[in-house]
Amino acid sequence: MSRIEGYGRIDRSRHVTVTVDGAAYTGHPGDSLASVLLAHDARPANTGVKLGRPRGIGASWTEDPTGLVQVEEPFPEPMLLATTVEATDGLVARGVNGQGRLSEVPDLARYDRLHTHCDVLVIGAGPAGLVAARTAARRGDDVVLVDDRPTAGGTLTGTETIDGRPSLDVVDEIVAELTTSPNVTHLQRTTAFGHYDDGFVLALERRTSHTDDGGLARRSRQRVHRIRAARIVVAAGAIERPIVLEDNDRPGIMLAASARDFLHRYGVLAGREVVVFTSDDAAYAAAVDLHDAGASVQVLDARATAPTLWSRRCADRGIAVTANTHVHGTRGEDRITAALVGPERREVACDLLLTSGGWNPTAHLFSHVGGRLAYDPSLGAFRPAAPRPGVEVIGAADGTFGLADILRQAGGVGAPPANEEPRDPTAVLWRTDGDPTRQFVDIQRDATVADIARAVGAGMTSVEHVKRYTTIGTAHDQGKTSGVIASGITAELLGRPVEDLGTTTFRPPYTPVAFAALAGRERGDLFDPVRTTPIHDRHVAAGAEFEDVGQWKRARHYPHPGENMTDAVLRECAAVRTSVGIMDASTLGKIDVRGPDAAVLLDRLYTNMMSSLKVGRVRYGVMCGNDGMVFDDGTVLRLADDRFLVTTTTGNAAAVLDWMEEWLQTEWPELRVRLTSVTEQWSIFAVAGPRSRDVVGAVFADLDVSNEAFGFMTWHDTALDGVPVRLARISFSGELAFEVSVSAWYAPAVWARLLEAGRDHGITPYGTETMHVLRAEKGYPIIGQDTDGTVSPHDLGMAWAVSKKKPDFVGRRSFGRPQNQDPLRKQLVSLLPTDAATKLPEGSQIVRFADDGRLPAPPVPMLGHVTSSYHSAALDRPFALALVKGGRERIGEVVGVPVAGELVPALIGETVLVDPEGARRDG
Amino acid sequence: MADTSMLVRHPLETRRTLLAELSAELDGVALELEAPLAAVDLRLDPAGPGPAAVAEVAGGPLPPQPDTWTGLAAGQALRLGPDEWLLTSAAARPEDWEFGLDEAAAPFGGAAVDVSAQRTTVRVRGASARPLLASGCAIDLRPASFPRGRCAQTLLGQAGVLLVALADDDLQLFVRPSFAGYVVDWLVDAAQEFRRPS
């Protein structure tokens, strides 16, 4: 056991048991998985990804490049750092050999997000962040303080003195004050992982990972905070930099400050025979503290002279300090057994080698928003170069390392004081002499100095290229310890100053974030909104199968027991063609167009003339984009001289309104027109079939529904029990048909009345699939199915819907392009497979027919493709619509459609296959 | 047999009981369906005499600032944009509400269109109402920023809503009926965080 009495902030009165690689270990609340293992002189059974060498725990927090584990219980998660996993009872994990494994069981935990707005966001609850947060809170600002570790205090160990008291007492006091401030939100276990424009920061809160979570199972496991702050204070500290040396990947090699952190935070001594190799003062604190905790320690300082004050402190304790000395390599198998010291590579026995090459300010969140970093030779590190509006970087993140300086920077004159500690300058030492093939720069990626040399040898001079060539900095830790070193070594190899090379760009996320957390609630049923019509429940009760149309659920067909879709659709089609059917068309987009210039606007947006439409009448209209290609279609009802109701396709409702508003607001603001979406105000039911007049006439008894009084493409208003209802003779099936519109409030009742009135006629609810077949039999295209944005009205055989009288309308100029005159443009035609049996798959290519029924050797010229294909009850055979090059000229021609390796012959025909004379529409 | 009486029901009527039962188990959140209201969408030039003329018929002044609302005799006037208002009435029949307001607005180039069935309303009350909504709404909901009298067209989850502040602990959500099921499912899911510890 390496647990040291009197150290650490763990709760020794309680125990937790974790299992790692099959062995059980006892720890305490407050432990990390890594500290439990180190307390037992154990490590996860990890090996390197490429070379298979054993790997241990190299740091105490998110910068650890090696200590990855696969957590199995309580929930499988791949590749978490043992240093960041809190030890809870029953936790099961194992080492990772190269890569982790995604869970095979569903994640039943909840994840969510929270939007927060504040005046000041402080990132980091170390001494700098705490003082900055307190200062802002006392000023009355709304403050959010986030910190990624379980407790506040940052790297304070408790050995420091602030304001004449133990540092952690001061931390507790500030935290208590923040807790009682109503204008402060203080979140620990919360990592700010991305910083975006305009003061926007994403932070991940781990809310249940440290608890057994008995009564709070409904609490979200992780929460993404979306924080919008007027001012951001980055007080994220600094990350210690190792010194690269030969065989520096062995278990038992660690950052100096991490060993100190393990001691003071968890009461764990990471080794008994310790060699500290440093070019910076801070490692001496680790040497002294580990010595005081019972380790045998010696210090090797790469600098020409050791710092005076620290040398004296070491001498007082009998810690040997040797200046001007390098460690060149290590020995050991499963763990380090010796450091190789000096040019003669003298073996110095040890079970822990600590290295410290200085500190890299954690300026990631400054860099995310484009903050520039510059090399500071006095630190041997990159730090924020120029301020950015609304962002402050303070403390170690700004390259300020003395505690007294940090507190002053954070709190100004009101900051609590601390003793001034002299600091000798850090010596920049990226690596020592040794075999570059075994000098690991990115230990997780098994990437070495030799790999950088290979990249440079291949001609790369940019650190971004070197990163991608070597993969340095691309692992879970995103190069927290390796990135700057890679820049330094690249600079050395190129013989250029490191300030010229810079560092690779920091990008979010700062630490890995689970996709589940980013998804939040947007999974399962809430993945995408499901839109339903006012009578959705009726469709469900009637056994409907639904299809997604945009976000809408539309009834596709209503199978009877034992029916498949083909059976149901044939039955529904037959009902409409022989008696009466009813469909919920409420999803159609509806726009109320008002004003003295309403007709002018519609004339400019539809290809056909709308101003000539008489009040009381209905016209089909086509809308094109600027490119002259069909964008949408629908019906236009003229309600009054200055009022129209236009319908759009279901999927384009919002797009058409936007389109109309855009023209109105940006191009023709002089037009006096008001547009209002009434899509959900009005429910529409299509009642179609030869008996539809009987049904509608029975429900709306006071309305004359005869053909003479109520002609095709006209509308009439009536009322039902005092509720206004509008009926229109509009047919998308070719049959006699009425569209019944009523306020959605009354949709269920009107639907029920129509069904009741039609019962004696066998009224049949039909779905969108049936509607598609019925309209295809009539050659009516569906925008978006038979068109793809490259189809003009002329291609659809709808030249009749393109006005020749109007001076201009959107799309008109494009009709004159030579491309639009090309006789070989694809045109809409029907296709009848000559075997009268094959239903051609939609999307099938169409080629010239070959007598042998085989697809010729490539290249095979494509003539077109199938856009719609169905079985027809009326024709008692399958049929299709297709876009075919020069299709109208080919009517009567047999072409080939490859289906399952065979070339199926199909006859090109006119688009209207049922009732071409239109005899049925008036009943 | 299905009910054929022309009664107005809340589109989420079948969830009313569920919401009441859930609210009873929540700490500081109550979710409730509101009765349907007559409503028109008013488009009108905000300058000139139009708003004053409409105000007489509406039963109260129109809010002078976008994203704010004022009370009417039997409803609310919610300003959705520079030239757009939603005017509600708990007393008028929809067709009468539209007719009267349209008649008042038309001489000033405005138009009022009946949209009574275009939105449905959910009330969110309680000390935790704003934290609940903040888990799916990106606008600044701090009472100081979104006090009584404010309204905003925004997103809750992925659905467009009109959010109305009646008080610090009392908010109204207008939502399209087609999205209402999604919004209520979303609220029920988000509200789990606010369950009383059992």
Side-chain angles (χ1 to χ4, degrees):
Chain A
M1 280 295 288
S2 300
R3 193 79 77 172
I4 309 299
E5 278 302 322
Y7 285 88
R9 294 175 244 160
I10 50 174
D11 178 0
R12 293 189 194 233
S13 67
R14 295 191 292 148
H15 295 82
V16 296
T17 302
V18 301
T19 306
V20 181
D21 297 313
Y25 301 96
T26 307
H28 302 286
D31 259 323
S32 71
L33 189 55
S35 68
V36 173
L37 289 168
L38 288 171
H40 291 266
D41 301 319
R43 63 175 182 87
N46 283 5
T47 54
V49 63
K50 281 196 294 204
L51 305 174
R53 290 160 63 110
R55 293 289 158 75
I57 291 161
S60 66
W61 190 235
T62 55
E63 70 275 24
D64 181 12
T66 48
L68 290 173
V69 291
Q70 168 85 32
V71 171
E72 305 286 5
E73 299 287 346
F75 180 77
E77 279 189 279
M79 301 188 81
L80 301 183
L81 276 172
T83 53
T84 63
V85 174
E86 295 187 48
T88 52
D89 211 33
L91 186 85
V92 178
R94 59 177 177 75
V96 172
N97 294 324
Q99 51 189 236
R101 176 179 53 80
L102 284 173
S103 169
E104 286 134 15
V105 296
D107 184 354
L108 300 177
R110 310 174 76 85
Y111 298 83
D112 69 359
R113 64 183 61 140
L114 188 66
H115 298 268
T116 303
H117 296 255
C118 60
D119 302 315
V120 183
L121 167 65
V122 179
I123 298 163
L130 285 170
V131 170
R134 187 177 68 176
T135 305
R138 286 179 175 176
R139 202 167 45 222
D141 288 346
D142 277 343
V143 178
V144 175
L145 169 65
V146 301
D147 184 88
D148 59 352
R149 299 204 74 150
T151 54
T155 55
L156 292 175
T157 59
T159 59
E160 310 83 357
T161 300
I162 297 177
D163 216 1
R165 287 175 291 155
S167 59
L168 294 182
D169 289 358
V170 175
V171 167
D172 290 345
E173 181 186 290
I174 296 177
V175 168
E177 180 178 336
L178 297 176
T179 305
T180 54
S181 302
N183 53 330
V184 175
T185 304
H186 175 192
L187 299 166
Q188 292 295 142
R189 299 187 172 86
T190 304
T191 309
F193 65 82
H195 182 185
Y196 307 86
D197 287 342
D198 302 317
F200 188 53
V201 169
L202 297 181
L204 180 76
E205 182 188 7
R206 298 170 297 282
R207 307 179 75 212
T208 62
S209 54
H210 55 292
T211 67
D212 301 331
D213 198 46
L216 288 170
R218 293 177 184 275
R219 197 174 150 84
S220 66
R221 181 167 180 264
Q222 295 182 355
R223 169 173 287 176
V224 173
H225 291 268
R226 302 170 70 89
I227 304 166
R228 184 77 67 175
R231 189 162 70 87
I232 291 170
V233 178
V234 178
I239 294 172
E240 197 170 18
R241 190 165 65 218
I243 300 169
V244 171
L245 45 91
E246 188 182 299
D247 296 324
N248 58 333
D249 62 327
R250 295 193 202 286
I253 301 175
M254 189 180 280
L255 292 171
S258 293
R260 192 164 176 247
D261 193 34
F262 277 118
L263 178 63
H264 291 293
R265 196 177 288 269
Y266 308 111
V268 168
L269 197 53
R272 299 279 175 178
E273 296 283 324
V274 184
V275 171
V276 179
F277 175 41
T278 185
S279 63
D280 178 71
D281 283 9
Y284 283 85
V288 166
D289 288 358
L290 266 61
H291 166 89
D292 292 352
S296 160
V297 182
Q298 64 169 297
V299 179
L300 307 172
D301 197 321
R303 294 172 289 185
T305 54
T308 315
L309 179 63
W310 282 113
S311 293
R312 201 170 64 232
R313 287 174 181 157
C314 288
D316 289 347
R317 290 168 168 81
I319 300 171
V321 176
T322 315
N324 203 16
T325 302
H326 286 187
V327 174
H328 291 280
T330 67
R331 290 254 191 280
E333 289 298 323
D334 211 35
R335 177 166 185 164
I336 186 169
T337 55
L340 304 179
V341 177
E344 68 281 11
R345 299 166 79 89
R346 175 170 55 90
E347 283 201 25
V348 175
C350 64
D351 63 359
L352 181 65
L353 171 62
L354 303 182
T355 71
S356 176
W359 295 80
N360 293 323
T362 307
H364 298 63
L365 290 159
F366 176 74
S367 189
H368 286 174
V369 281
R372 200 170 61 79
L373 306 180
Y375 186 74
D376 182 337
S378 72
L379 301 176
F382 291 86
R383 56 185 293 262
R388 282 188 67 81
V391 186
E392 279 171 65
V393 186
I394 62 170
D398 190 40
T400 305
F401 293 113
L403 181 56
D405 295 337
I406 287 171
L407 293 169
R408 259 195 305 276
Q409 192 183 16
V413 288
N419 288 339
E420 309 283 343
E421 279 269 323
R423 284 176 73 88
D424 278 16
T426 306
V428 174
L429 179 63
W430 310 118
R431 61 171 178 140
T432 60
D433 289 339
D435 177 358
T437 65
R438 280 152 54 203
Q439 289 181 323
F440 292 87
V441 178
D442 188 330
I443 304 181
Q444 181 59 34
R445 287 292 189 228
D446 269 344
T448 63
V449 172
D451 293 318
I452 298 179
R454 201 171 297 120
V456 169
M460 289 167 211
T461 57
S462 153
V463 289
E464 298 286 357
H465 290 157
V466 170
K467 170 180 175 175
R468 283 149 185 83
Y469 187 87
T470 60
T471 73
I472 290 171
T474 61
H476 67 281
D477 59 339
Q478 291 287 290
K480 286 185 175 57
T481 54
S482 59
V484 172
I485 292 178
S487 289
I489 293 173
T490 303
E492 272 182 12
L493 293 171
L494 288 168
R496 291 173 51 190
V498 66
E499 46 265 57
D500 286 5
L501 262 66
T503 61
T504 53
T505 306
F506 295 110
R507 292 191 183 82
Y510 174 68
T511 50
V513 179
F515 280 114
L518 295 175
R521 298 187 191 291
E522 284 159 18
R523 48 193 271 189
D525 288 343
L526 297 177
F527 176 65
D528 194 38
V530 171
R531 300 181 71 181
T532 55
T533 75
I535 54 166
H536 184 76
D537 293 349
R538 308 297 168 94
H539 302 318
V540 172
E545 296 285 337
F546 291 90
E547 75 168 328
D548 293 335
V549 181
Q551 291 174 319
W552 289 97
K553 289 282 178 208
R554 296 197 70 181
R556 192 176 191 189
H557 58 99
Y558 300 78
H560 289 174
E563 280 185 339
N564 59 23
M565 184 169 89
T566 306
D567 300 337
V569 170
L570 285 173
R571 173 178 52 74
E572 291 172 14
C573 286
V576 174
R577 294 266 182 243
T578 60
S579 180
V580 60
I582 182 168
M583 187 184 73
D584 182 4
S586 302
T587 62
L588 288 177
K590 302 160 205 96
I591 301 166
D592 185 286
V593 184
R594 302 285 297 277
D597 297 322
V600 178
L601 176 70
L602 297 184
D603 270 353
R604 292 184 189 176
L605 292 176
Y606 285 96
T607 60
N608 36 359
M609 185 84 88
M610 291 301 169
S611 53
S612 59
L613 186 65
K614 290 188 173 58
V615 174
R617 301 197 66 90
V618 182
R619 187 165 287 167
Y620 171 79
V622 176
M623 234 180 235
C624 286
N626 297 316
D627 56 3
M629 301 304 159
V630 177
F631 161 51
D632 203 64
D633 69 346
T635 54
V636 177
L637 284 67
R638 189 158 202 170
L639 306 180
D641 277 343
D642 62 351
R643 187 170 190 179
F644 295 80
L645 182 78
V646 309
T647 66
T648 75
T649 57
T650 295
N652 262 348
V656 171
L657 180 62
D658 286 351
W659 177 246
M660 294 172 77
E661 283 282 10
E662 184 183 336
W663 282 101
L664 189 57
Q665 293 182 27
T666 66
E667 299 296 327
W668 307 317
E670 71 281 5
L671 292 186
R672 295 160 299 163
V673 185
R674 305 286 186 182
L675 304 169
T676 309
S677 167
V678 287
T679 296
E680 300 205 35
Q681 170 65 25
W682 296 99
S683 287
I684 299 184
F685 307 133
V687 184
R691 310 308 298 267
S692 59
R693 182 172 284 132
D694 301 333
V695 175
V696 168
V699 173
F700 306 100
D702 55 352
L703 192 68
D704 184 349
V705 292
S706 68
N707 197 45
E708 296 69 36
F710 197 155
F712 184 60
M713 294 303 258
T714 66
W715 61 266
H716 288 276
D717 277 349
T718 182
L720 198 59
D721 296 358
V723 172
V725 175
R726 178 170 296 137
L727 283 86
R729 284 269 316 269
I730 295 169
S731 178
F732 200 39
S733 58
E735 299 298 322
L736 173 69
F738 295 82
E739 286 187 357
V740 180
S741 299
V742 66
S743 159
W745 281 359
Y746 305 101
V750 171
W751 176 261
R753 291 201 188 188
L754 290 164
L755 282 180
E756 194 175 290
R759 196 171 347 128
D760 291 346
H761 305 292
I763 192 167
T764 300
Y766 66 95
T768 51
E769 189 67 17
T770 299
M771 178 263 282
H772 282 188
V773 178
L774 295 170
R775 64 87 204 178
E777 290 172 343
K778 294 293 294 179
Y780 300 148
I782 299 243
I783 308 307
Q785 168 150 348
D786 300 299
T787 70
D788 59 4
T790 69
V791 180
S792 72
H794 309 85
D795 300 335
L796 293 173
M798 288 190 179
W800 57 266
V802 178
S803 171
K804 294 178 183 62
K805 293 182 193 151
K806 290 194 290 184
D808 203 2
F809 53 87
V810 175
R812 180 174 176 273
R813 271 171 293 175
S814 298
F815 296 152
R817 296 185 316 151
Q819 273 285 327
N820 284 56
Q821 314 299 322
D822 183 353
L824 285 182
R825 283 186 68 81
K826 285 185 180 176
Q827 295 164 337
L828 190 70
V829 292
S830 69
L831 273 188
L832 292 174
T834 57
D835 64 3
T838 307
K839 189 181 147 216
L840 304 171
E842 288 176 354
S844 295
Q845 293 291 339
I846 296 164
V847 300
R848 228 171 248 293
F849 184 67
D851 287 337
D852 61 359
R854 294 189 177 285
L855 195 60
V860 185
M862 298 301 172
L863 300 181
H865 64 277
V866 175
T867 59
S868 296
S869 180
Y870 312 98
H871 287 285
S872 167
L875 305 171
D876 193 23
R877 56 169 298 153
F879 73 106
L881 295 177
L883 286 168
V884 177
K885 283 181 188 167
R888 300 207 54 81
E889 283 297 310
R890 291 177 186 269
I891 286 172
E893 188 179 317
V894 173
V895 289
V897 180
V899 181
E902 299 284 318
L903 211 50
V904 176
L907 177 67
I908 294 180
E910 296 280 357
T911 51
V912 187
L913 296 170
V914 168
D915 185 28
E917 316 77 42
R920 307 178 63 88
R921 69 158 211 223
D922 292 331
Chain B
M1 201 186 73
D3 191 355
T4 58
S5 60
M6 303 287 273
L7 289 175
V8 182
R9 274 189 202 78
H10 199 287
L12 298 170
E13 195 55 50
T14 54
R15 286 177 162 97
R16 189 181 292 277
T17 315
L18 169 89
L19 290 180
E21 286 170 1
L22 174 66
S23 298
E25 294 168 15
L26 298 178
D27 220 359
V29 185
L31 301 167
E32 200 185 334
L33 306 180
E34 298 236 288
L37 297 165
V40 299
D41 190 292
L42 172 72
R43 301 293 299 272
L44 182 66
D45 185 351
V54 171
E56 269 188 41
V57 179
L62 304 192
Q65 292 299 322
D67 286 348
T68 64
W69 66 274
T70 50
L72 300 177
Q76 289 163 291
L78 304 119
R79 189 156 180 190
L80 306 181
D83 66 349
E84 186 175 11
W85 290 262
L86 184 73
L87 306 183
T88 68
S89 170
R93 279 160 37 105
E95 53 270 34
D96 299 338
W97 191 237
E98 177 191 53
F99 182 82
L101 291 166
D102 192 55
E103 201 176 42
F108 306 98
V113 176
D114 180 14
V115 289
S116 306
Q118 179 93 338
R119 291 181 181 84
T120 188
T121 320
V122 180
R123 189 80 165 259
V124 188
R125 270 189 269 231
S128 299
R130 287 173 190 253
L132 169 71
L133 296 171
S135 59
C137 182
I139 66 170
D140 187 350
L141 292 177
R142 286 178 290 176
S145 307
F146 198 69
R148 173 184 166 80
R150 279 289 313 277
C151 62
Q153 298 192 82
T154 179
L155 289 176
L156 183 69
Q158 300 175 69
V161 296
L162 170 58
L163 187 60
V164 183
L166 301 180
D168 284 2
D169 58 354
D170 190 355
L171 296 105
Q172 248 177 333
L173 277 175
F174 288 80
V175 58
R176 298 284 170 107
S178 68
F179 282 103
Y182 163 82
V183 164
V184 163
D185 287 348
W186 190 95
L187 285 168
V188 166
D189 192 57
Q192 302 306 318
E193 280 274 336
F194 299 90
R195 270 184 189 276
R196 290 205 182 90
S198 44

